[in-house]
Amino acid sequence: MKSFATMELKGIKTNGENVQGNGRIFSKITFLLFIGFSSTLLSQVRQTDTLKLSRQHYEELFLKQNLLLLAETYKINQAEAMVLQAKLWPNPNLTIEEVNLWATDKQLSYLDEPLPQVFGNVAQNTQFAVQLEQQIVTARKRKKLMDVEKVGVKVAEQEFEELLRNLKYEFRNTLTELQYLQLYNRVFLEQRNLIQNLLNAYKRQLENDHISKGEYMRLQTLQLEVSKEINELSKAKNEAEKELKVLLSITGPASLFVLEEDFTPNLQNLQNLDMLNLEQDFLRYRPDVKLAELENEYFKSLLTYEKSQAIPDLNLNASYDRGGGVWPSFFGFGLSIDLPVFNRNQGAIAHAQMGIENTTYLSNDLRLRARAEFDQNYKDFRAALTFYESIDPDFETDLDEIFENYTKNFVNRNISLLQYLDFQEAYLENKKIILESKKQIHLQLETLQYTIGKEI
C-alpha cells in the first residue's frame, strides 16, 4: 500500500550517497516537469476563458505546479547535503611563523656560520618555522553525526508528506466546494430562465386583463429572489476559484470549471471499505505520527553523538624549524589532546536525554489523538454514506419531472400561483439536500483519508 507522496518521493535516496548528483537530478526533473506542464496549461488557458477539467486532471495539475510542494523538495536536497557534510574529514591546518624578513650584521655575528639559501638566492639567513596539523576524529564521531543527519533526511521527507497531505486535503475540499456551487448555481439559473419565460407570458395576459397585477408582481419578486441567490453563489464560486488558482499556481482572468462527471459518489467502492483494515493502516501512514517517531529517533541518535563528543579528539602535527634552535634545520612531530576535566559535554548529553523523554510523551499523545480522530471521522463518513443511500436513486429524476408537470399545470392555470410557489420552494430545498448529500460524501471521505494518511 502506498502513502500520499509515494509518487512524489520516488527515487529520492536517504543514505547520504551521491547526494549532490541526486539532488541536482531531482531538481532538474522537477523544474522540467513544471516548465513543460505550465506551457501546456498556459496555452490552453489563452485559448479559452474557462479551464474545463475533471477532478483527476485538476489534481495532476496541482501536483506538478504547486509552488509550496516544489519548494519543499529542496529541503530534502538540503538535508541530503548535510549527510555529505557530516561525512567529510576536518581540513589540515598549515602554520608558517617566526619569519624574520631581514637580518642585521649584529644578528649574523651570533651565528657560527651563515644560514644557507632554501633554493636559489631565496631565504639566506632567514629564520622561519612551518607546522602542519591534522585533527583525528575519535569515537566514530563522523559516523554518528551522519546517523543524526540521515534522520534529518527522513524528517524532511515526512515533512514533504505532511505538507502534501495538508495541501491535498485543502485542494480537494475546495474543488468539491466549487463543484457543488457550480451545480447548485445551475439549478437557480434554470429557475431564473423559467421564471423569465413565465413573466413574458404573464405580461401579455396582464395587458389583456386576464390576470391581476399582484400575480405578475409576485413572479417578479420571485425572479428577484432567485437573482439574488445566483449573485451570492457567484461570489462564493469566485472565492473558491481564487483559492484553487493559488494552489494550482495559475494567474490571469480565466475561470475554472470542474466537470460534473465525478461528483456523484461511487457507492460500490465506498460500501466495500473495511474499517478493520483502515484502523490498522492509519498509524502506519500518517506523516505527523511518523514525524513524531522520527523526532524521538533523532534525539536517540543525537544522544549517541553527544556522548562521543565527551571523548577528546587527537591533533597530530609535524613541524620544521629553521635557525630557531640548537640545529639549523629541525624536524619534529607531536600530538595534542584536550583533557576532559571541566567540560565533558554534560549539558548537551542531558539535552538529548530530555529530548528523548519529551518526544516519547508527545508521540504517545499524538497516537491517542489520531485514534480518536479516526473513530470520529469514520463514524461521520458512515453517517454521510447512510444518509446518501437513503435517497431513492430515481428521486431526483422524479422530482424534475413533477416540477415540469407543475409548471405546465400552472401555465394552463390548473393550479394556483400559491400552489406553484410552494412546490417550487420544496423543489429547490430538495435539490439542495441532494447536492449537499453528495458533497458531504466527498468531504467526509477526504477527511477520513486525511486521518489515515493514505488514499482509500
Side-chain angles (χ1 to χ4, degrees), residues 93-95 130-134 316-320 331-334:
N93 177 264
L94 176 66
T95 303
V130 179
Q131 179 174 279
L132 182 66
E133 186 174 35
Q134 174 65 54
L316 303 179
N317 63 75
S319 59
Y320 169 73
F331 290 91
F333 301 91

Side-chain angles (χ1 to χ4, degrees), residues 26 76 92 111 150 195 234 283 321 408 423 454:
F26 185 86
I76 301 174
L111 298 177
K150 285 178 182 178
I195 295 169
S234 296
L283 287 178
D321 192 342
K408 289 179 181 177
F423 187 79
K454 78 177 192 72

Side-chain angles (χ1 to χ4, degrees), residues 10-232:
K10 185 177 180 182
I12 298 178
K13 297 184 180 294
T14 58
N15 59 2
E17 300 295 332
N18 302 322
V19 174
Q20 287 180 323
N22 291 334
R24 289 169 183 161
I25 291 172
F26 185 86
S27 300
K28 288 179 179 177
I29 291 174
T30 305
F31 180 73
L32 290 173
L33 284 172
F34 172 69
I35 294 298
F37 201 87
S38 298
S39 301
T40 304
L41 172 70
L42 290 175
S43 63
Q44 185 176 358
V45 172
R46 289 192 191 101
Q47 292 169 6
T48 176
D49 292 331
T50 303
L51 182 64
K52 297 181 180 180
L53 297 173
S54 65
R55 292 174 66 94
Q56 179 183 351
H57 288 144
Y58 270 119
E59 186 156 325
E60 290 173 0
L61 178 61
F62 157 74
L63 292 174
K64 292 176 181 177
Q65 294 216 156
N66 184 269
L67 297 179
L68 291 178
L69 290 178
L70 291 173
E72 193 71 16
T73 59
Y74 287 94
K75 288 188 178 180
I76 301 174
N77 297 339
Q78 287 177 303
E80 288 177 331
M82 293 309 297
V83 176
L84 175 63
Q85 183 63 33
K87 185 179 179 181
L88 303 177
W89 277 90
N91 289 323
N93 177 264
L94 176 66
T95 303
I96 300 175
E97 58 185 356
E98 300 180 9
V99 179
N100 66 311
L101 299 178
W102 60 85
T104 65
D105 292 338
K106 185 176 182 180
Q107 289 172 323
L108 293 174
S109 67
Y110 291 115
L111 298 177
D112 295 333
E113 58 183 60
L115 292 173
Q117 301 93 334
V118 176
F119 53 88
N121 294 322
V122 177
Q124 183 178 13
N125 296 324
T126 300
Q127 175 190 343
F128 60 87
V130 179
Q131 179 174 279
L132 182 66
E133 186 174 35
Q134 174 65 54
Q135 184 183 47
I136 306 298
V137 180
T138 61
R140 302 182 68 196
K141 291 189 183 74
R142 289 170 51 250
K143 169 68 168 56
K144 292 169 184 176
L145 182 58
M146 284 178 64
D147 291 339
V148 174
E149 297 297 347
K150 285 178 182 178
V151 177
V153 175
K154 295 178 184 178
V155 168
E157 290 176 350
Q158 289 306 314
E159 285 178 344
F160 178 88
E161 293 261 11
E162 178 66 2
L163 175 65
L164 179 60
R165 171 176 171 252
N166 289 315
L167 287 177
K168 268 191 173 182
Y169 181 71
E170 179 186 356
F171 172 77
R172 289 175 175 176
N173 286 346
T174 307
L175 203 63
T176 296
E177 182 66 20
L178 178 59
Q179 204 168 20
Y180 163 77
L181 291 170
Q182 288 173 172
L183 293 171
Y184 194 36
N185 187 59
R186 189 171 71 185
V187 172
F188 279 92
L189 288 173
E190 291 171 354
Q191 288 296 306
R192 187 173 66 179
N193 293 336
L194 176 62
I195 295 169
Q196 184 60 52
N197 292 334
L198 290 174
L199 279 172
N200 293 337
Y202 261 53
K203 187 175 183 180
R204 289 191 294 271
Q205 295 189 43
L206 177 64
E207 292 171 351
N208 296 326
D209 294 328
H210 293 159
I211 62 168
S212 67
K213 190 170 184 179
E215 287 184 291
Y216 183 77
M217 290 296 293
R218 183 65 187 89
L219 278 177
Q220 283 187 317
T221 302
L222 180 60
Q223 185 188 44
L224 189 60
E225 291 172 355
V226 170
S227 297
K228 179 185 177 184
E229 190 66 31
I230 291 173
N231 184 56
E232 293 299 322

